[in-house]
């Protein structure tokens, strides 16, 4: 194939991953000229173009070399590697992107007894992920019948075409609405930046390196939180010990209260309510968790 001098990234044309994928690319400083109802978007500032397609087509486009990279759910990527992608070079997950989080789970009717995978022996399981489900069953040494459906998997037990299902779950609302209960998780998924195991080293190599660097910065910032709190000097050690990972916190005096300190810490990830409650118990008060918009160390 003729080599290209511009990078081409495949992403979902219209769906759950579209807006967050465009947002992450925008935060990497990439802007595109063509309107979004076109298949192809020309990159304005940098030599990076977009191909807007159905998410299921993305791994194949990378494998064929039509695109250098793709933004796609790990569920779609792994399913492709286990089924369609057997002939070509394996694809690689280059960066997890932190959005489109969901899990591929087995769910059974509320009343069905379930202990572990062996409970599914001899049962019919409906799924759009025959590759991932088949592998999970094989690894567990369970002989069950995989019923492959393109969609509406969750109604299969009610229709009598399957005894259980294996589908994507996010809030769990769809399962509850269909009187199903989640019993096992096969895969924790999120959107990833996927590409061939070996990236091109021609003109596109430099752009790839730049893109990865910017992306790492964007991901780091989007996962960072600034934690602000007050504590007494006496409790400082106990409070500091509980702070989520990150660089050393900054300490500031509090006017008129010589025993009190204001603490400012950059945390490497989400700060949960539970963590905040623990830190409060250790003697912190006036706590704030703020998102970080930009960071330049
Ligand atoms: O047209 P195209 O083929 O591109 O889109 P699509 O319909 O195949 O994909 P889309 O937009 O629905 O999902 C794209 C990707 O988003 C998936 O491959 C996942 O990686 C990710 N994702 C995250 C989800 C969900 N969350 C999700 N909840 N994909 C699907 N769902 C569905 C799930 O199948 C089930 O029907 O939502 C329902 C469950 O949601 P809860 O919240 O009720 O549990
Ligand atoms: Zn799809």
């Amino acid at each position: 194939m003729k080599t290209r001098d511009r990078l081409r990234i495949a992403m979902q044309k219209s769906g759950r991953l579209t807006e967050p994928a465009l947002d992450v690319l925008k935060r990497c400083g990439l802007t595109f000229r063509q309107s979004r109802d076109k298949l192809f978007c020309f990159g304005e500032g940098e030599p990076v173009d977009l191909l807007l397609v159905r998410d299921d087509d993305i791994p194949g486009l990378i494998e064929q070399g039509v695109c250098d990279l793709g933004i796609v759910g790990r569920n779609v990527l792994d399913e492709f590697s286990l089924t369609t992608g057997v002939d070509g070079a394996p694809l690689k997950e280059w960066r997890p992107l932190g959005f489109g989080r969901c899990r591929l789970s087995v769910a059974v009717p509320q009343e069905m007894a379930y202990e572990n995978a062996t409970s599914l022996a001899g049962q019919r399981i409906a799924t759009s992920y025959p590759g991932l489900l088949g592998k999970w069953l094989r690894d567990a040494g369970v002989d069950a019948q995989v019923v492959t459906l393109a969609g509406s998997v969750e109604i299969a037990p009610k229709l009598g075409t399957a005894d259980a299902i294996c589908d994507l779950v996010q809030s769990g609302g769809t399962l509850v609405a269909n009187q199903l209960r989640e019993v096992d998780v096969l895969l924790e998924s999120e959107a990833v930046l996927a590409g061939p195991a070996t990236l091109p080293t021609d003109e596109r190599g430099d752009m790839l390196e730049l893109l990865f660097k910017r992306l790492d910065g964007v991901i780091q910032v989007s996962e960072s939180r600034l934690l602000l709190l007050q504590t007494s000097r006496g409790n400082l050690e106990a409070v500091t010990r509980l702070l989520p990972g990150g660089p050393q916190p900054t300490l500031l005096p509090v006017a008129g209260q010589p025993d009190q300190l204001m603490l400012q810490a950059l945390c490497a990830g989400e700060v949960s309510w539970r963590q905040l409650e623990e830190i409060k118990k250790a003697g912190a008060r006036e706590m704030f968790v703020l998102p970080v918009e930009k960071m330049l160390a």
Side-chain angles (χ1 to χ4, degrees):
M1 186 183 292
K2 187 178 166 290
T3 58
R4 280 177 278 109
D5 54 359
R6 296 175 65 85
L7 268 191
R8 198 178 287 161
I9 305 178
M11 58 164 275
Q12 196 183 22
K13 183 171 171 32
S14 155
R16 288 169 207 263
L17 304 183
T18 308
E19 285 306 323
L22 282 172
D23 182 57
V24 86
L25 294 173
K26 194 173 144 205
R27 282 190 284 141
C28 287
L30 305 180
T31 51
F32 304 93
R33 197 191 302 154
Q34 260 92 342
S35 76
R36 259 191 250 159
D37 36 287
K38 299 243 174 71
L39 186 69
F40 189 81
C41 288
F42 185 81
E44 284 179 320
E46 310 287 355
V48 182
D49 305 321
L50 286 185
L51 204 59
L52 303 179
V53 293
R54 287 202 54 189
D55 67 344
D56 317 74
D57 296 336
I58 294 174
L61 289 168
I62 301 170
E63 193 186 46
Q64 293 155 27
V66 176
C67 293
D68 303 295
L69 296 167
I71 296 177
V72 67
R74 181 178 294 136
N75 48 304
V76 172
L77 186 68
D78 290 2
E79 180 67 19
F80 178 85
S81 301
L82 285 168
T83 51
T84 337
V86 283
D87 296 335
L91 298 185
K92 181 171 161 178
E93 188 177 311
W94 283 93
R95 293 289 187 283
L97 297 174
F99 58 85
R101 286 210 165 97
C102 58
R103 49 200 188 273
L104 183 68
S105 294
V106 170
V108 300
Q110 292 289 359
E111 66 286 355
M112 181 176 147
Y114 185 93
E115 210 173 304
N116 51 42
T118 54
S119 309
L120 297 167
Q123 307 279 334
R124 296 161 304 160
I125 314 166
T127 191
S128 308
Y129 295 87
L132 285 161
L133 175 60
K135 180 177 186 307
W136 183 75
L137 290 168
R138 273 195 308 283
D139 290 350
V142 174
D143 193 12
Q145 190 191 332
V146 175
V147 179
T148 305
L149 299 178
S152 304
V153 168
E154 65 277 3
I155 56 165
K158 218 179 281 172
L159 297 178
T161 51
D163 305 296
I165 69 161
C166 170
D167 200 8
L168 297 177
V169 182
Q170 200 210 358
S171 66
T174 303
L175 294 183
V176 172
N178 288 282
Q179 290 93 46
L180 297 169
R181 96 190 140 89
E182 188 178 0
V183 288
D184 246 320
V185 178
L186 277 63
L187 176 77
E188 294 283 352
S189 186
E190 66 186 285
V192 301
L193 185 69
T198 319
L199 293 171
T201 49
D202 54 18
E203 297 96 320
R204 291 169 289 167
D206 294 345
M207 193 54 226
L208 275 168
E209 206 172 303
L210 185 84
L211 179 66
F212 282 140
K213 268 199 196 123
R214 287 190 189 176
L215 197 56
D216 289 338
V218 166
I219 294 167
Q220 198 189 348
V221 160
S222 64
E223 287 175 353
S224 297
R225 299 288 181 275
L226 188 68
L227 174 64
L228 301 175
L229 59 84
Q230 270 193 39
T231 184
S232 66
R233 287 179 190 276
N235 289 331
L236 181 62
E237 209 197 310
V239 166
T240 311
R241 212 178 307 130
L242 292 173
L243 296 179
Q248 279 294 310
T250 309
L251 300 170
L252 303 163
V254 176
Q257 299 181 61
D259 181 45
Q260 291 291 308
L261 286 170
M262 162 103 181
L263 182 150
Q264 177 182 304
L266 189 68
C267 305
E270 273 287 352
V271 185
S272 69
W273 283 108
R274 175 123 343 140
Q275 281 172 311
L276 279 185
E277 285 151 8
E278 289 296 313
I279 299 168
K280 189 169 160 66
K281 257 191 237 158
R285 56 194 190 85
E286 305 288 335
M287 304 174 72
F288 294 91
V289 181
L290 308 174
V292 176
E293 195 184 282
K294 287 198 179 70
M295 204 156 62
L296 197 60

